[in-house]
Amino acid sequence: MAVTVSLVALFGLVLFFLLRSKTLGYGAAFVAAMFGFFLASTGAAGPINQLATAVISAIGDL
């Protein structure tokens, strides 16, 4: 668990700087995929899924 959380932080930080510098390419796609993969295996996956569901249903109610 501790390794997964640290990898999420690492990939999140790298992705943040890649997006900020507008350096988007195959490397950024790999970092984004790895960030999502490791984020899904943390405890944050449940609240993120609930937030996405709430936003989608709110858009549908507009």
Side-chain angles (χ1 to χ4, degrees), residues 28-56:
F30 174 75
V31 169
M34 295 307 291
F35 176 69
F37 176 77
F38 286 111
L39 184 64
S41 64
T42 65
I48 290 172
N49 286 335
Q50 291 172 353
L51 176 68
T53 303
V55 168
I56 290 171

Side-chain angles (χ1 to χ4, degrees), residues 3 5 7-9 14 16 19 25 28-30 35 41-42 50 52-53 55 57:
V3 173
V5 172
L7 285 174
V8 167
V14 170
F16 171 77
L19 290 173
F30 174 75
F35 176 69
S41 64
T42 65
Q50 291 172 353
T53 303
V55 168
S57 62

Side-chain angles (χ1 to χ4, degrees), residues 14-29 31:
V14 170
L15 184 60
F16 171 77
F17 285 117
L18 285 173
L19 290 173
R20 186 172 171 98
S21 67
K22 296 181 181 164
T23 309
L24 301 175
Y26 294 115
V31 169

